[in-house]
Amino acid sequence: MEKKNKRTLILSVIICLLPMVLGIAFYNRLPEQMPIHFTINDVPDNYAQKNFALFGIPVIMAIVQAICIICTTKVNKLKNSEKPRIVKIMEWFIPIITVLVYIIMIEVPLGSDVYVGKSVCLILGILYDNNFSFFKNSSICDVIIDSQLFVICF
């Protein structure tokens, strides 16, 4: 594995695990059952034990991230090519989602008004707008994606 890929692997796995510090800081203030899934109306509908939610989920996400980085690196090495832009973007998707979802999981039990649907919409909007510009060449895809994001957000 190249030095650059190792650096990406290590840094992205650390970012996946970093939210556990936040969990440790708020551990005593959080309930034993933590919300891990929400309805379209931002109401929690699935819960997990506090220790699993705070420590298990980031560890699982870090493992998934490591597997994804290692697999994409091996595939690109077999092709003897540089990583496509989409692969470079996806290398950071899991760490970013892990941090954002973790913050939502902490904020909701602490009583904050978190708009889960709008947060997801924001993430998708940023990802779509800035990184998937190849969709913009097709007006059909553009209309379908824009209408789905509109329906999700409003």
Side-chain angles (χ1 to χ4, degrees):
M1 186 178 275
E2 293 177 19
K3 189 175 183 177
K4 185 177 179 183
N5 291 330
K6 279 185 184 178
R7 186 176 33 207
T8 301
L9 173 65
I10 292 167
L11 186 58
S12 64
V13 166
I14 288 171
I15 290 171
C16 286
L17 298 173
L18 198 59
M20 290 193 296
V21 174
L22 186 65
I24 292 168
F26 288 103
Y27 189 84
N28 292 330
R29 294 176 53 195
L30 295 168
E32 285 302 313
Q33 293 291 313
M34 299 281 297
I36 58 170
H37 191 268
F38 299 85
T39 66
I40 196 156
N41 298 323
D42 296 332
V43 177
D45 68 345
N46 198 357
Y47 297 85
Q49 291 293 323
K50 179 168 49 174
N51 287 334
F52 176 76
L54 296 178
F55 307 113
I57 291 175
V59 168
I60 291 169
M61 296 304 282
I63 291 169
V64 169
Q65 175 67 10
I67 291 169
C68 289
I69 296 276
I70 291 167
C71 288
T72 56
T73 301
K74 291 201 182 284
V75 167
N76 283 324
K77 189 182 261 187
L78 290 174
K79 291 182 177 181
N80 290 328
S81 64
E82 188 175 329
K83 292 181 195 174
R85 184 169 182 232
I86 188 71
V87 172
K88 292 177 184 177
I89 293 163
M90 295 311 290
E91 285 178 343
W92 294 101
F93 185 73
I94 292 174
I96 290 168
I97 293 297
T98 302
V99 170
L100 294 174
V101 167
Y102 197 91
I103 290 170
I104 291 170
M105 281 186 350
I106 297 285
E107 288 293 321
V108 169
L110 293 176
S112 296
D113 288 332
V114 178
Y115 301 104
V116 179
K118 289 184 179 179
S119 301
V120 169
C121 188
L122 175 67
I123 295 165
L124 291 175
I126 291 169
L127 186 66
Y128 166 71
D129 247 5
N130 293 327
N131 301 312
F132 292 120
S133 57
F134 57 85
F135 280 131
K136 293 182 181 177
N137 295 333
S138 169
S139 59
I140 294 172
C141 287
D142 207 22
V143 170
I144 290 171
I145 292 172
D146 285 345
S147 65
Q148 287 175 347
L149 289 176
F150 181 77
V151 169
I152 291 171
C153 290
F154 300 104

